[in-house]
Amino acid sequence: MDKKEFRLYMMEIWLALIAFVILHSSRYGVYSAEQPNIIFIIVDDLGWNDVGFHGSNQIPTPNIDVLAYNGIILNSHYVQSYSTPTRAALLSGIYPMKLGMQGPSFLAAEKKAMPKHKLLPEYFKDMGYETYLVGKWHLGYSRWNETPTLRGFDHHFGFYNSYCSYYDYLSTWTYNEHDYTGFELRKDGQAVFDEAGKYATDLFTEYTVNTINEHDSGKPLFLMLSHLGVHAANSGKPLEAPQETINTFRHIVDANRRTYAAMVSKIDDSMGSIITALDQKNMLSNTIIAFISDNGAPTTGPYQNWGSNLPLRGIKDTLFEGGVRSVAFIWSPLLVQTARVSTDLMHVTDWFPTLFTAAGGDIDALDPELDGIDVWSSLVYDLPSPRNDILLNIDEKTRNAGLRFYNWKLIVGTSQNGSYNDYFGHIPMENIEEIPYNSSAVYESPAGQVLKKVNYSPLSEVEYENIRYQATIKCTATKKNPCDPATGAVCLYDIPSDPCEENDLAKYFPSVVRRMKRALVDYRKGLIPQIEGEVDIEAADPKLFKYTWSPWVDCADATCNIA
């Protein structure tokens, strides 16, 4: 073969490769060069064991499951152990300890706020996106310029604090043995009392669906739906759901767990409604949907919600897997290699550059100091991920720190005096084995019906079961060597072979421990001390603002308008 023939041969191969990519660039159609719509869904305090695609039979989540199976299940997706730090990391792309946000979540009336960094929605606005936040903010509101519509979101419909009740939208906090109660539902800063009485998950879903229906298709949409569910609300009625939904879970003996299951089920219904709306609006073919939990479930302790992280060790507010390894998946027709379980490391900061790239942004325009790593190509094409380590946190007050490095995980120190270190998320689990997983319900769910229509080669129920098996974690440690960092011990785990953190290997791999401790010391150099802020309840008392939780700095009473 001479050079000319060789060039022609190579050109034929190249053209064939291009044709293959075009034909197979998506299970749902050809890749669109238009900016994709992005729907980012955060569920609050959702347990690892509380979705069907992780192997649980107790709470059916067919709409969530079918999207996960047809997308990419992110089985090694890490977040922070609290709500506020996770949201800070997500919207900034920066590790919280570099922002002074590494501590506990913000309290009502606390004079703290997200530092003045350019946030993800601000970048999306620069790229021509309409930006919406629906639901929880939890990044500060002492001044109006700390609230969502002045931090990059064109519109916000939701609440500022950690939680509120699911029907009346009141949030009660106790300071100095006195209860302070205020209304917590706002639309673009204005209190919307007339929406009280509607169930929160349904209300936020309704707003999201209406936003989709009314969206100008000439502009891309970035919508973050940050659910109140399934966070516990006020003391006395921490869990709430429609009674007709609760009644469908009579197989669950524990009444609190039964209500929690209904709350998860309403989140699942929400997913079905959103996918249906996107399909009817003809937006689905050019949309990215991401779904995460902000941290593990608090199975016990303050704000207990009766969620389950089984079989993972630890709960919310720990650096064990049950606290920081979150339920997560991504679905989009723009993904080439789908219907798979990814075990590649991914951190919540990675969504910032990843979604920015997916939206057509120039990665060089981002702050080079971002901790998030662009993994869009890795997700789209199933290429090796550039992420090989994750700083789980460094908290200089509790002296608690954690690091993932390839297969290894190191934990130093503890939180809450180690109260939850040996807690594996045990809850009443009666009759679980008697309830088979209903893959037919997944297949026939509203989201399943949409995907069957738009997918030229829909997955079978057998394929669902196979993916589910791959996404189910089992405790596989051949030996058990307990380690409790509350005793001062440094704990080292090989997570792929010991996901339940039962076998401490620190004494067997001292060189790994030394290397990872040095890495923590290096990270520590970039730490900014935690933001300090007093609880200014005398000035922020809701009764001064028509009994609403409202920005109060530079505001004397309810006559203070939105800046």
Side-chain angles (χ1 to χ4, degrees), residues 451-504:
L451 296 195
K452 280 194 292 184
K453 182 174 67 173
V454 300
N455 185 349
Y456 72 86
S457 179
L459 297 174
S460 67
E461 292 181 36
V462 172
E463 288 173 301
Y464 290 163
E465 294 279 6
N466 182 53
I467 297 170
R468 183 176 191 248
Y469 178 81
Q470 296 176 48
T472 300
I473 286 180
K474 299 177 178 62
C475 297
T476 54
T478 56
K479 295 181 179 180
K480 294 188 178 182
N481 182 28
C483 179
D484 184 355
T487 65
V490 175
C491 305
L492 179 71
Y493 303 101
D494 180 355
I495 294 298
S497 64
D498 180 21
C500 303
E501 296 169 298
E502 298 176 302
N503 186 27
D504 173 37

Side-chain angles (χ1 to χ4, degrees), residues 247-267:
N247 291 343
T248 64
F249 290 94
R250 290 194 177 97
H251 62 278
I252 299 176
V253 175
D254 182 89
N256 288 306
R257 175 68 176 174
R258 191 183 314 134
T259 303
Y260 173 84
M263 295 163 69
V264 174
S265 181
K266 293 302 291 183
I267 298 288

Side-chain angles (χ1 to χ4, degrees), residues 402-519:
L403 179 69
R404 269 296 305 261
F405 180 70
Y406 290 95
N407 59 303
W408 298 108
K409 179 178 177 183
L410 187 79
I411 296 179
V412 179
T414 192
S415 60
Q416 301 293 331
N417 297 315
S419 302
Y420 311 135
N421 287 351
D422 292 323
Y423 199 84
F424 279 78
H426 295 294
I427 54 171
M429 302 291 278
E430 296 92 341
N431 304 324
I432 298 302
E433 299 306 321
E434 298 176 13
I435 306 168
Y437 183 69
N438 191 347
S439 56
S440 295
V442 174
Y443 197 73
E444 299 298 333
S445 66
Q449 291 295 308
V450 170
L451 296 195
K452 280 194 292 184
K453 182 174 67 173
V454 300
N455 185 349
Y456 72 86
S457 179
L459 297 174
S460 67
E461 292 181 36
V462 172
E463 288 173 301
Y464 290 163
E465 294 279 6
N466 182 53
I467 297 170
R468 183 176 191 248
Y469 178 81
Q470 296 176 48
T472 300
I473 286 180
K474 299 177 178 62
C475 297
T476 54
T478 56
K479 295 181 179 180
K480 294 188 178 182
N481 182 28
C483 179
D484 184 355
T487 65
V490 175
C491 305
L492 179 71
Y493 303 101
D494 180 355
I495 294 298
S497 64
D498 180 21
C500 303
E501 296 169 298
E502 298 176 302
N503 186 27
D504 173 37
L505 298 174
K507 66 180 180 181
Y508 301 107
F509 295 93
S511 61
V512 174
V513 172
R514 285 195 298 270
R515 182 175 181 181
M516 295 181 73
K517 289 177 74 174
R518 283 198 300 268

Side-chain angles (χ1 to χ4, degrees), residues 158-386:
F159 57 103
Y160 295 152
N161 277 312
S162 176
Y163 61 86
C164 58
S165 53
Y166 282 77
Y167 285 100
D168 60 21
Y169 301 96
L170 299 178
S171 182
T172 299
W173 295 74
T174 303
Y175 296 119
N176 301 320
E177 300 183 350
H178 181 75
D179 288 343
Y180 296 83
T181 299
F183 186 72
E184 261 280 67
L185 186 63
R186 292 178 177 269
K187 182 177 181 181
D188 296 338
Q190 299 289 348
V192 281
F193 297 100
D194 57 344
E195 297 289 3
K198 299 178 182 178
Y199 186 63
T201 303
D202 293 339
L203 181 61
F204 294 146
T205 301
E206 177 185 305
Y207 183 89
T208 299
V209 168
N210 288 340
T211 298
I212 292 168
N213 290 338
E214 297 168 6
H215 181 66
D216 178 2
S217 57
K219 297 189 72 173
L221 172 67
F222 174 69
L223 188 149
M224 181 173 290
L225 172 54
S226 181
H227 277 294
L228 167 61
V230 287
H231 195 290
N234 296 310
S235 176
K237 53 174 182 178
L239 307 183
E240 295 183 278
Q243 190 60 47
E244 61 269 22
T245 307
I246 297 173
N247 291 343
T248 64
F249 290 94
R250 290 194 177 97
H251 62 278
I252 299 176
V253 175
D254 182 89
N256 288 306
R257 175 68 176 174
R258 191 183 314 134
T259 303
Y260 173 84
M263 295 163 69
V264 174
S265 181
K266 293 302 291 183
I267 298 288
D268 185 72
D269 291 344
S270 172
M271 289 297 298
S273 298
I274 292 168
I275 294 301
T276 300
L278 289 166
D279 177 51
Q280 292 174 347
K281 184 70 173 180
N282 295 318
M283 293 170 62
L284 200 60
S285 63
N286 191 35
T287 291
I288 298 168
I289 297 174
F291 179 101
I292 71 168
S293 174
D294 64 343
N295 43 247
T299 307
T300 189
Y303 303 111
Q304 176 182 4
N305 72 352
W306 284 266
S308 171
N309 303 311
L310 289 172
L312 302 180
R313 178 181 180 181
I315 61 174
K316 176 180 179 178
D317 188 28
T318 75
L319 295 184
F320 288 103
E321 297 289 277
V324 295
R325 187 169 177 170
S326 87
V327 177
F329 70 81
I330 182 172
W331 177 93
S332 176
L334 308 181
L335 301 171
V336 175
Q337 298 294 331
T338 56
R340 63 187 177 91
V341 178
S342 171
T343 57
D344 289 339
L345 291 181
M346 187 171 179
H347 186 250
V348 65
T349 55
D350 296 340
W351 290 110
F352 190 113
T354 298
L355 295 177
F356 181 77
T357 296
D362 179 3
I363 199 72
D364 292 332
L366 297 180
D367 184 348
E369 298 301 315
L370 288 187
D371 296 299
I373 295 175
D374 176 13
V375 296
W376 180 241
S377 294
S378 300
L379 293 172
V380 173
Y381 302 109
D382 193 15
L383 298 174
S385 172

